[in-house]
Amino acid sequence: MSEVLVFDNLLKRYHENKLAHAFLLETNDISRCYEDVLIFIKKLCCPHTFSIECKENCNLCSLIDADNLPSLITINPDGQFIKKGQILDMMEKFSTKPVFTNFNIYVIREAERFNSSSANTLLKFLEEPEDNILGIFITNNKENVISTIRSRCQIFSCYYKGNIADNLNDDILTDVKLYLKAIYNNKDDLLYNKTHMSGYYSDRKDWEIFFNTMLYYLNDCYSSDRLDKIELVKNISKCNLVKVIILIEEILKYIKSNGNIDLILDRFVIEMRNYYE
Ligand SMILES: [Zn+2]
């Protein structure tokens, strides 16, 4: 999901009282994701309606910017790992209720860098979650996060299109749009894969760029008024567009994990049929 979707979704959950005690954000850009997490925290905690002007006029937002809010702790790996001592320090500080905010919040950057002793220490915290403690874990690969932690988090992916846009190539975008047009509501979509797409790119990396371009384009169609929206985008609901975006993220994972490209394309067109209206 694009960052816009993820943080909108989290805020919505918060207002519906459905925010989990801990969530894991998988991202392609840890620094940008961390910046967005801080904005998200300001939106949760700011006593005014958070706005960019809060920077100057709001004590709480200023404390967050200065990394001086007692109820917010960011943990970075100390050397190669996140150490047990860092977790114990945080737990001690959070043994009292927060004063200025509704939550004590910890943010773990590079959550894949727990070792077993720091993970075990944190686990006690995760197993008996308290209402006023919120944990946010950021990683660039959730598969590398110790499973005992991962399994206790709600997981979201947060992809920044800036990185993808760097590789965005107009020719590939044209290919993407032609492909989506060709399979849209086409009963012979599987045949189209066979006759037109099989072997279209010989290199797996090129397929990755192709689907990343598709992801970028559809995310952008979701969050802005692109003039070059194709029929498929115009005709499906926003809700289904989000599902298509999630499907493409899945497809990218299969490509990265060496799945057979012809089978992946077939899976893609079959699942896409669910979202045409
Ligand atoms: Zn504020």
Side-chain angles (χ1 to χ4, degrees):
M1 270 192 248
S2 76
E3 73 281 9
V4 183
L5 292 178
V6 174
F7 291 100
D8 281 0
N9 186 345
L10 288 175
L11 271 180
K12 189 165 154 265
R13 279 165 188 271
Y14 168 69
H15 290 299
E16 289 168 353
N17 247 328
K18 286 194 212 146
L19 195 62
H21 295 287
F23 49 89
L24 172 64
L25 297 170
E26 186 184 47
T27 180
N28 56 346
D29 189 332
I30 287 193
S31 299
R32 280 180 69 181
C33 188
Y34 179 67
E35 292 301 313
D36 281 340
V37 163
L38 291 184
I39 293 174
F40 167 70
I41 292 170
K42 287 176 188 169
K43 285 182 178 169
L44 285 190
C45 301
C46 178
H48 317 285
T49 307
F50 170 76
S51 70
I52 297 301
E53 287 85 68
C54 257
K55 246 180 152 53
E56 282 119 52
N57 305 324
C58 167
N59 193 24
L60 193 121
C61 289
S62 308
L63 284 172
I64 292 177
D65 280 334
D67 194 18
N68 249 335
L69 182 70
S71 53
L72 172 63
I73 293 179
T74 296
I75 295 179
N76 283 292
D78 175 8
Q80 216 187 337
F81 293 107
I82 294 162
K83 305 262 169 69
K84 182 178 173 178
Q86 296 175 278
I87 303 297
L88 288 172
D89 280 350
M90 181 266 286
M91 288 167 95
E92 198 195 316
K93 283 181 188 142
F94 283 1
S95 59
T96 52
K97 291 219 178 333
V99 180
F100 302 113
T101 55
N102 294 332
F103 298 100
N104 280 321
I105 304 172
Y106 59 94
V107 183
I108 311 265
R109 288 179 64 144
E110 301 185 54
E112 67 281 3
R113 289 176 184 255
F114 277 95
N115 55 27
S116 55
S117 106
S118 56
N120 279 336
T121 309
L122 185 68
L123 215 52
K124 286 180 222 133
F125 221 40
L126 284 175
E127 278 170 346
E128 294 153 34
E130 290 176 40
D131 280 341
N132 55 21
I133 296 184
L134 187 64
I136 304 173
F137 299 77
I138 308 175
T139 180
N140 50 30
N141 187 345
K142 67 174 194 284
E143 302 305 324
N144 293 341
V145 176
I146 274 182
S147 63
T148 45
I149 289 182
R150 193 178 58 218
S151 64
R152 285 170 177 81
C153 289
Q154 216 168 48
I155 300 176
F156 297 90
S157 48
C158 184
Y159 284 95
Y160 290 90
K161 46 196 181 183
N163 290 22
I164 299 161
D166 294 341
N167 309 328
L168 200 69
N169 169 310
D170 281 341
D171 292 339
I172 297 171
L173 181 59
T174 305
D175 284 352
V176 163
K177 286 194 241 172
L178 281 175
Y179 180 51
L180 290 174
K181 278 178 196 165
I183 61 168
Y184 176 49
N185 263 336
N186 178 354
K187 287 194 195 70
D188 292 329
D189 48 5
L190 285 170
L191 185 66
Y192 186 87
N193 270 349
K194 221 171 154 167
T195 53
H196 288 77
M197 301 312 285
S198 181
Y200 192 83
Y201 297 115
S202 53
D203 194 335
R204 182 171 297 273
K205 197 82 204 151
D206 292 333
W207 283 110
E208 209 179 310
I209 295 170
F210 180 80
F211 277 99
N212 261 323
T213 304
M214 192 185 290
L215 187 64
Y216 168 80
Y217 170 69
L218 295 178
N219 260 318
D220 210 30
C221 286
Y222 176 88
S223 55
S224 72
D225 286 321
R226 281 188 81 105
L227 296 173
D228 63 341
K229 285 184 184 170
I230 54 174
E231 287 303 304
L232 180 153
V233 176
K234 288 184 195 159
N235 292 344
I236 69 174
S237 64
K238 273 208 150 182
C239 172
N240 273 344
L241 185 54
V242 171
K243 289 177 185 164
V244 169
I245 288 169
I246 293 169
L247 169 63
I248 297 168
E249 287 171 355
E250 286 296 310
I251 292 293
L252 276 161
K253 282 180 206 159
Y254 294 130
I255 294 174
K256 282 183 197 157
S257 60
N258 279 328
N260 175 295
I261 298 289
D262 287 341
L263 294 180
I264 291 172
L265 289 173
D266 285 351
R267 181 174 180 159
F268 177 66
V269 298
I270 290 167
E271 293 202 17
M272 281 295 280
R273 292 173 191 164
N274 297 323
Y275 307 124
Y276 304 144
E277 281 140 32

